[in-house]
Amino acid sequence: MAEGRAERLAEGVRAYRLVAGMWVRSTMAYRASFAMTTFGNFAATFLDFVAIMLMFSRVDALGGWPLPEVAFLYGLSATSFGLADLVIGSMDRLGRRIRDGTLDTLLVRPAPVLAQMAADRFALRRLGRVTQGGLVLGWALTRVDIGWTADRLLLMPVMVVSGCGIFCAVFVAGGAFQFLAQDAAEVQNAFTYGGTTLLQYPPTVFAKELVRGVTFVLPLAFVNWLPASYVLGRPYPLGLPEWTAFTSPLVAVACCALAGLAWRAGLRSYRSTGS
């Protein structure tokens, strides 16, 4: 059974690489267009941080967090989400494919549907979001006062990778929901794009009920709020124990496993459009 799962995983990775590579080659055939759209993506996402900077032109702290620490949260959230959006952001097109029946063309191909859907219209221009988030994160690291230790240094890349995994799981779970709703891309976007916007602000500005929801129900807090609190030496949201900062990889694996089960259930329930 383990060998069969490994083979299916390898098959999915290969299919994803081939489909994504096809779209990359198509994109790079028009390099000037690629450069302009990537810059446009960078500039559009940078406006989010400009809005935060405008807030700090009027206040010294937001929920007790100064600008460099909020920029730290922003950079972690934007980079993690940007990577997930680059890798699997095309999942929000699933509802349209279900509605017009074009999902059927993916079902008859000898490749996993999830891999095909994730790589569909792979948009290399989304690197603009990743770059913008990384630059803000780099700037924040030069401004925050952190007592660097080995565990804090190790936690930095772990946060980004785990956050990407959690957001990927949210994308897949949102896609699974669209099998039931037929076309609910905006609902899915509320948890993906809306989730990353939420995490760009400190948890102290939100009601405790909301913080509990994104910690214990939809565990987005493990993307940056909890591990970032440890790195910055700040109190944990909801008074959680210190070791929870290091559980982000486990949460990411659990989220991906649950999202995979939801995807399989949704795909089994698909009955086509009948056309």
Side-chain angles (χ1 to χ4, degrees):
M1 182 178 294
E3 292 181 358
R5 289 178 180 175
E7 289 178 0
R8 288 195 297 272
L9 178 61
E11 182 183 359
V13 171
R14 180 176 180 274
Y16 179 92
R17 181 169 53 83
L18 291 174
V19 176
M22 176 190 69
W23 285 107
V24 169
R25 289 191 296 272
S26 174
T27 298
M28 297 311 293
Y30 304 94
R31 296 179 184 272
S33 175
F34 164 71
M36 288 187 290
T37 55
T38 302
F39 177 77
N41 186 268
F42 174 93
T45 54
F46 186 69
L47 291 176
D48 293 337
F49 188 64
V50 170
I52 294 176
M53 295 178 68
L54 289 175
M55 291 182 192
F56 277 93
S57 68
R58 298 297 182 182
V59 298
D60 296 326
L62 192 61
W65 292 56
L67 176 58
E69 293 184 352
V70 174
F72 185 68
L73 291 180
Y74 178 98
L76 288 171
S77 174
T79 304
S80 297
F81 177 78
L83 290 171
D85 192 35
L86 174 68
V87 172
I88 203 169
S90 297
M91 290 297 297
D92 59 7
R93 299 176 55 84
L94 179 63
R96 189 181 310 169
R97 280 190 172 274
I98 292 174
R99 188 179 67 250
D100 61 22
T102 57
L103 181 64
D104 295 3
T105 61
L106 306 185
L107 293 172
V108 299
R109 294 173 183 170
V113 177
L114 179 58
Q116 295 183 71
M117 194 65 234
D120 185 38
R121 296 187 178 276
F122 184 87
L124 199 60
R125 68 177 183 277
R126 290 171 177 157
L127 282 173
R129 180 187 291 272
V130 180
T131 303
Q132 185 264 338
L135 289 175
V136 173
L137 179 59
W139 178 84
L141 288 173
T142 66
R143 301 290 179 173
V144 292
D145 184 18
I146 299 175
W148 289 109
T149 57
D151 53 353
R152 284 186 169 91
L153 286 171
L154 178 62
L155 198 55
M156 289 300 299
V158 170
M159 272 192 284
V160 174
V161 174
S162 300
C164 174
I166 291 171
F167 275 122
C168 283
V170 176
F171 270 111
V172 174
F177 173 73
Q178 294 200 55
F179 282 109
L180 299 176
Q182 301 301 313
D183 191 2
E186 294 306 318
V187 175
Q188 180 177 348
N189 291 342
F191 292 96
T192 51
Y193 292 92
T196 188
T197 301
L198 176 77
L199 297 178
Q200 291 168 2
Y201 297 90
T204 49
V205 304
F206 300 107
K208 285 189 176 181
E209 290 74 15
L210 178 60
V211 177
R212 289 191 185 98
V214 296
T215 302
F216 302 113
V217 180
L218 184 65
L220 295 176
F222 291 87
V223 173
N224 64 351
W225 281 356
L226 290 172
S229 295
Y230 178 82
V231 173
L232 296 173
R234 281 194 160 271
Y236 281 21
L238 307 177
L240 294 173
E242 192 173 89
W243 55 263
T244 54
F246 299 90
T247 59
S248 293
L250 297 178
V251 172
V253 171
C255 288
C256 289
L258 292 173
L261 292 175
W263 172 263
R264 292 180 63 183
L267 191 61
R268 285 196 297 267
S269 69
Y270 178 64
R271 294 294 181 268
S272 187
T273 60
S275 58

